[in-house]
Amino acid sequence: MASKRGEAVYRIYRALTYCVSPLVHLHLRWRKFRGREHSLRWRERLGCPSAPRPTGRLIWFHAVSLGEGLAAIPVIKCCLEMRPDVNVLMTTTTASAFEVIKNRLPSNVIYQFAPLDIPSAVDSFLRYWRPNAVMLIESEIWPNLIMGAARNGIALTLLNGRMSTTSFRNWSHPVILPLITLMLSKFSLILPLSTIQGINFQLLQAPPFIIHYPGDLKCAIANFDISEGETKSLEEFQAQLSHRKVWMASSIHKGEEKVFIGAHNMLKQKHADILTIIVPRQPQHGQDLALKLREEGATVALRSRGDNITPGTSELKDFYRLTPIAVIGGSFLKGSAGHNIAEAAAAGCAVVTGHHVGHFSHMVAEMQRVNPLSVLQVPGEKLVEVVNQFFDNFKILEAHRVAAKQAYHALSSGIVKKLWEMLHFHIFMKSISRDDVDDVEKLNITEKL
């Protein structure tokens, strides 16, 4: 009965998304006109491919944006290493993620934009790429995608699965619950971000036997190689900063600039040589912020404008190597959801964050459990006091830096290996290898004929 109700709700959803498809097409063109979609590859969002499908087995990894996409890369590399016979397709939805991830993926990975969850786009995408398995990252639970994959016999996995409190409440609504229950029943494997998230999936009636917890995949995203040239450039730039007091505010959101500009102005009264590195979450926010600071008389260099202030890189992980102190934004205003602290910890920064960290609260708690000094959570009004303490007391600063790095290594060790073992057993052995069985069966039938 529950399955029939879920099917009925899905039919309504599919009909609605079919009806609004023309409006979605217009909205996509409007986003392209405003520069929010890739100017040349925006049609991929409608299921129109821009690359040929290779022969053989193909695994599709899908993430919504940058953080989730970066979390998938270690798994993709492991997959290609362990199963070189398998092709990998990676998709994301945002142009900002595309510009970063395309340079980090192995050269033999196909990278496309993901289709919108409208029937025509999803059906066209699945028909062209014909994936053997789909790996969805975190919260990418879309009805047309999931039901379309299941209808075509494609194995489904949810990696680092999570949902916000609001999403969980919405999915739990009596009208919607049959749909999410139906969709979760189509998965072969669910690997939640935390045990609490695993419980949430069970409360939404996901089969308990498909839920396994290997650890938070985002703890492993800092393990990226860096070229010899980039290393030399970073070291030279670090040498230039060695005589200055440096701290950094990363991934800040609109509204938080008041916290960090205020902190910079107060810190400058005591430390005249201070250098504050601010990395906004959105590029446009950086331009607005630079204009505001110049109006206040501050000396500002803007990386996106081409000012020579960083060693030829725009990646956050490299900025973290320039500073001993990293304050993670998106956490100082009520309603914020935080950002990943793993990269800052891996770089050996003293990690500071606000109290509004959303689903990253699990990562913060786990790191603090390993070492209480690894992550310091403070309200905005205490930020100046904390940074001043780090500047004035080298031993305290080093204790926090060492603690953060130790906690990161303790949590990240073996996550990808554990995850691969689960994928290999539940997906590759049972689903991907089925192609081999089918080929043998076809061969036997041909020989008999």
Side-chain angles (χ1 to χ4, degrees), residues 2-278:
S3 177
K4 289 182 178 179
R5 287 200 300 268
E7 291 281 1
V9 176
Y10 171 64
R11 283 195 293 271
I12 294 171
Y13 174 87
R14 186 174 175 85
L16 288 173
T17 51
Y18 177 81
C19 291
V20 302
S21 292
L23 295 178
V24 173
H25 283 223
L26 289 173
H27 180 66
L28 186 67
R29 290 176 181 274
W30 173 244
R31 285 178 57 84
K32 180 238 179 183
F33 175 75
R34 297 184 65 191
R36 295 188 176 182
E37 298 288 342
H38 197 282
S39 59
L40 299 177
R41 300 179 59 173
W42 63 276
R43 289 182 182 275
E44 293 173 19
R45 301 283 278 137
L46 299 174
C48 302
S50 63
R53 188 205 189 278
T55 57
R57 304 169 190 82
L58 185 139
I59 309 300
W60 172 23
F61 286 82
H62 170 59
V64 61
S65 191
L66 182 58
E68 296 84 356
L70 293 177
I73 292 178
V75 186
I76 291 174
K77 289 183 175 180
C78 183
C79 175
L80 291 171
E81 180 182 345
M82 303 301 291
R83 289 293 299 265
D85 59 313
V86 171
N87 300 294
V88 172
L89 167 68
M90 174 75 180
T91 64
T92 53
T93 62
T94 64
S96 58
F98 177 84
E99 294 303 325
V100 175
I101 293 174
K102 70 178 182 181
N103 298 319
R104 289 196 178 189
L105 283 170
S107 59
N108 55 341
V109 173
I110 306 163
Y111 191 17
Q112 299 276 284
F113 284 97
L116 295 163
D117 200 53
I118 54 177
S120 59
V122 171
D123 293 348
S124 175
F125 186 93
L126 293 176
R127 188 165 51 248
Y128 181 84
W129 291 106
R130 305 186 313 280
N132 297 84
V134 182
M135 310 289 173
L136 303 176
I137 315 298
E138 294 206 359
S139 55
E140 286 298 273
I141 303 176
W142 293 97
N144 284 322
L145 189 159
I146 290 170
M147 298 302 292
R151 197 163 49 243
N152 286 277
I154 301 168
L156 284 156
T157 296
L158 186 62
L159 302 181
N160 235 39
R162 69 170 181 88
M163 57 182 66
S164 66
T165 303
T166 302
S167 294
F168 177 74
R169 185 168 56 248
N170 291 339
W171 283 121
S172 300
H173 190 281
V175 175
I176 307 298
L177 181 60
L179 176 59
I180 186 66
T181 300
L182 175 67
M183 288 193 294
L184 293 177
S185 72
K186 304 300 181 183
F187 282 86
S188 300
L189 184 63
I190 294 177
L191 305 176
L193 180 147
S194 66
T195 52
I196 293 174
Q197 291 289 346
I199 292 170
N200 286 343
F201 284 114
Q202 288 193 50
L203 291 173
L204 294 174
Q205 301 177 28
F209 59 85
I210 68 170
I211 299 175
H212 302 270
Y213 175 61
D216 187 348
L217 190 56
K218 281 191 173 178
C219 287
I221 72 170
N223 294 324
F224 289 106
D225 298 328
I226 183 168
S227 69
E228 185 178 339
E230 286 179 324
T231 299
K232 184 178 179 181
S233 182
L234 282 167
E235 289 173 350
E236 290 175 352
F237 198 78
Q238 283 175 318
Q240 296 175 32
L241 301 179
S242 60
H243 66 287
R244 303 186 67 175
K245 301 291 187 183
V246 182
W247 72 295
M248 171 173 156
S250 68
S251 299
I252 74 166
H253 289 220
K254 282 191 175 181
E256 287 186 317
E257 65 272 8
K258 295 177 182 178
V259 175
F260 298 114
I261 292 175
H264 170 80
N265 291 335
M266 293 182 70
L267 289 165
K268 192 171 179 62
Q269 294 175 14
K270 184 176 181 180
H271 309 281
D273 62 342
I274 192 172
L275 173 64
T276 300
I277 301 173
I278 297 179

Side-chain angles (χ1 to χ4, degrees), residues 349-350 373-374 376 390 395-405:
C349 298
L373 298 181
S374 60
L376 192 59
F390 285 153
K395 288 185 177 180
I396 291 177
L397 173 60
E398 282 303 295
H400 282 267
R401 295 182 70 182
V402 170
K405 198 159 192 174

Side-chain angles (χ1 to χ4, degrees), residues 66 96 248-257 260-261 276-291 293 300-304 309 314-316 319-320 327-330 339:
L66 182 58
S96 58
M248 171 173 156
S250 68
S251 299
I252 74 166
H253 289 220
K254 282 191 175 181
E256 287 186 317
E257 65 272 8
F260 298 114
I261 292 175
T276 300
I277 301 173
I278 297 179
V279 184
R281 180 65 172 169
Q282 299 295 335
Q284 183 58 46
H285 186 202
Q287 297 173 22
D288 297 340
L289 186 54
L291 181 62
L293 285 166
V300 182
L302 193 63
R303 177 69 176 87
S304 61
I309 59 170
S314 60
E315 294 196 24
L316 192 56
F319 279 85
Y320 284 132
V327 182
I328 314 301
H339 287 290

